[in-house]
Amino acid sequence: MERKIYLDNASTTYVSNEVMAEMLPCFNTLYGNAGSLHSFGRDAVAILDRARDRVKNAINANKANEIYFTSGGTEADNWAIIGVAHANANKGKHIITSAIEHHAVLHACEQLEKEGFEITYLPVDQYGLVKMPELLHAIRKDTILISVMTVNNEVGTIQNIKTIAKIAHDYGILFHTDAVQAIGHVKMDVQDMEIDLMSMSAHKIHGPKGVGALYVKNGIRIDPITYGGTSQERGKRSGTENIPAIAGFGKAIEIATKNYIITNKKLHSIRDYFLEKLKEKVEYFQVNGHPHQKSNAILNVSFYGIEGESILMLLDLAGICVSTASACTSKSLLPSHVLKAMGVPDDIAQGSIRFSFGTNISKSDVDYVTDEIQKVVAKLRAISPIQAGRI
Ligand SMILES: Cc1ncc(COP(=O)(O)O)c(C=O)c1O
C-alpha cells in the first residue's frame, strides 16, 4: 500500500474516535431541535449545555453563557470584528489589527472600511511579532477594538497576547484574539489573559468541520450578523444549532486542553527531529517564524531557488501532504501576506512550505519525509535557473 503522511494539520485534522462517538447518537437518536419544547428538544438543549460547559472550562471563561457557537473560525472572526464595530460605532470608528491576521479578520476589516471605519494594520518584526511601539502609536481616542491573533497559522509565531490585551484595556479599548491555531497548543485562559472576545474552531483539534465558537465576555456590546430565530444563542446568532457538530466540538476541546502538555511535548520533539534531519540532508533553506516563541505544530521553511508549489506537488506524488501557505490561500500564487509583512523577499517566500505536525507522526515518518524532500529539492534545483547558493 502507498505510504501516506499527512503534515498539514494546521489546515485541518482527522476527527478522533472519541469525538465521533460523542457525535453519532446526535444524528439518529438524539436528533431533536433545541428550539422544540418536547423531550427531543430538551435532550438537544442538554447536549448544547454540556458542550458549552466544556468550552467554558477549556478556556476558563467565567460563565457558560459567554460561549456562542458558530459555523467555525471564519464566522467567529467576522462576527467579532463586524459585530463589535457596529455595536460600538457611537464611541468611535477606528480598529487596530495586525498585517499577518487570517483573511477571516483582514477581509472583515476591509468590509468595514467600505462602511467608513478606519483600520490600522500593525507591522510585525522579522519573526512575525507585533511591534509594541507601533501598537502604542496607533491607539487613538476613537479606537474601539484591537484584534491580534494568538498563533499565526502560517509561521506559528505566538504573540504576547496578555501584554497587548493589557495595553488595550489601559486605553479602554476592547480586545479580540483569533485563537483558532492556539487551542490545544497554547494555554488559553481568557480571564488571566484579559481577553474580551476569542475565536475558536473545532476542525483544527480533531473535531468536525463547520463548527466553532466565539467567546464574548459578559457585558461586551456586540451586534448580531445573522438574523432569524431569537431563542438561538440568546438572540445573538440565529440558525438551528448544529447539535452533532457542537457535541463533537465540546468533546474535542475538552480532550485538546486536557492533553495539551503531553501533545506539546510530542510535537516539540517531532518538530526538532524534523529540523535536525532536514539540516543533515538539505542545504540552502531558512526557517520562518520566531525561533522559540512559536507553536510546536508548525514549521515554515523557505527552500532557496525553487517554487513551493513544485515542491508540494512532487511531495504529494510521494504520498506526503504539506501546504504552501494557509489552506485558504494555497491555491493563489501570490506570495504569502504573512511572509511579506515579516520582510521575507518575494523570491524566498515563493519557495515556502508549511509543515504542520500531528502526534501520530513517528520518527520513521520524518526519516521518510526528509529523504523525499532531499530528492525533490535536488531534482528541482537541477532544473532551476536560480542558484540556491547565491541567494
Ligand atoms: C488563524 C485562523 N483563523 C481562522 C481560520 C478559519 O477557521 P474555519 O476554517 O473554522 O472557518 C483559520 C483556518 O485555517 C485559521 O487558521
Side-chain angles (χ1 to χ4, degrees):
M1 208 173 73
E2 192 202 342
R3 194 168 181 175
K4 282 256 182 210
I5 300 179
Y6 185 79
L7 292 180
D8 201 11
N9 288 274
S11 295
T12 199
T13 57
Y14 66 86
V15 176
S16 72
N17 289 338
E18 296 100 307
V19 168
M20 268 199 283
E22 191 79 21
M23 293 174 71
L24 271 179
C26 306
F27 287 107
N28 57 3
T29 316
L30 299 166
Y31 56 84
N33 183 326
S36 302
L37 296 177
H38 47 63
S39 64
F40 274 73
R42 288 195 299 276
D43 286 345
V45 170
I47 295 169
L48 265 183
D49 287 348
R50 185 163 64 233
R52 214 183 295 282
D53 255 350
R54 283 174 163 162
V55 179
K56 171 209 159 228
N57 293 337
I59 63 170
N60 193 32
N62 189 26
K63 293 259 162 54
N65 68 6
E66 295 173 314
I67 310 300
Y68 295 85
F69 291 112
T70 65
S71 63
T74 300
E75 186 192 328
D77 281 343
N78 278 211
W79 184 21
I81 303 289
I82 295 172
V84 164
H86 287 173
N88 296 277
N90 61 330
K91 287 195 204 149
K93 292 187 124 188
H94 179 237
I95 291 172
I96 299 173
T97 188
S98 86
I100 61 161
E101 297 298 308
H102 191 271
H103 286 118
V105 166
L106 293 177
H107 290 167
C109 287
E110 284 165 22
Q111 185 55 36
L112 286 175
E113 282 176 313
K114 290 183 194 146
E115 294 176 24
F117 285 83
E118 283 181 76
I119 318 285
T120 301
Y121 300 92
L122 294 174
V124 293
D125 67 15
Q126 59 177 316
Y127 304 120
L129 281 177
V130 161
K131 295 180 178 173
M132 292 301 168
E134 267 81 350
L135 168 62
L136 287 167
H137 186 70
I139 291 172
R140 311 190 325 205
K141 274 205 171 66
D142 60 343
T143 308
I144 50 172
L145 177 69
I146 296 176
S147 176
V148 174
M149 73 201 313
T150 305
V151 172
N152 180 268
N153 48 305
E154 291 187 31
V155 295
T157 297
I158 304 174
Q159 302 293 335
N160 297 308
I161 290 302
K162 207 171 163 173
T163 312
I164 299 174
K166 175 141 188 15
I167 292 173
H169 292 154
D170 284 349
Y171 289 87
I173 300 166
L174 295 174
F175 178 69
H176 164 252
T177 190
D178 172 340
V180 168
Q181 297 287 347
I183 301 289
H185 300 291
V186 175
K187 189 166 168 29
M188 297 307 293
D189 179 329
V190 289
Q191 294 190 70
D192 176 60
M193 295 163 94
E194 295 187 38
I195 294 166
D196 297 314
L197 303 109
M198 184 169 89
S199 305
M200 296 163 264
S201 177
H203 72 105
K204 313 288 185 181
I205 51 169
H206 302 291
K209 293 168 186 58
V211 64
L214 181 65
Y215 158 78
V216 184
K217 190 177 162 185
N218 275 339
I220 303 272
R221 282 167 50 191
I222 181 163
D223 279 0
I225 55 168
T226 47
Y227 298 92
T230 50
S231 63
Q232 292 139 349
E233 299 301 282
R234 295 166 304 292
K236 290 276 188 213
R237 199 275 181 178
S238 302
T240 303
E241 296 88 346
N242 185 348
I243 302 290
I246 291 171
F249 175 36
K251 189 69 185 168
I253 199 166
E254 182 180 79
I255 297 172
T257 42
K258 194 174 77 196
N259 292 350
Y260 118 94
I261 292 179
I262 187 152
T263 302
N264 255 319
K265 225 173 159 176
K266 274 191 199 160
L267 293 179
H268 193 278
S269 99
I270 282 293
R271 193 194 56 198
D272 281 2
Y273 183 69
F274 186 97
L275 194 52
E276 187 189 310
K277 290 286 140 189
L278 200 61
K279 282 180 182 161
E280 272 173 34
K281 298 176 191 176
V282 181
E283 273 188 310
Y284 309 125
F285 69 86
Q286 70 178 48
V287 175
N288 301 307
H290 199 280
H292 50 85
Q293 195 171 315
K294 69 175 174 188
S295 161
N296 292 317
I298 296 175
L299 184 71
N300 186 305
V301 178
S302 294
F303 296 94
Y304 297 164
I306 46 181
E307 293 280 327
E309 279 72 23
S310 312
I311 303 172
L312 182 151
M313 281 186 259
L314 291 182
L315 287 179
D316 191 30
L317 290 177
I320 299 161
C321 304
V322 298
S323 158
T324 44
S326 63
C328 329
T329 48
S330 55
K331 288 191 180 117
S332 100
L333 289 177
L334 292 175
S336 139
H337 69 288
V338 175
L339 296 180
K340 219 176 169 61
M342 288 163 58
V344 178
D346 282 359
D347 57 340
I348 292 183
Q350 293 286 9
S352 301
I353 292 287
R354 178 186 67 183
F355 302 97
S356 50
F357 305 99
T359 51
N360 55 347
I361 295 298
S362 65
K363 283 192 168 175
S364 125
D365 291 333
V366 172
D367 292 339
Y368 172 70
V369 172
T370 46
D371 278 349
E372 289 304 314
I373 295 174
Q374 183 176 28
K375 288 185 219 161
V376 162
V377 169
K379 199 171 182 171
L380 292 172
R381 282 191 179 147
I383 52 167
S384 169
I386 307 159
Q387 278 197 341
R390 290 236 171 145
I391 288 182

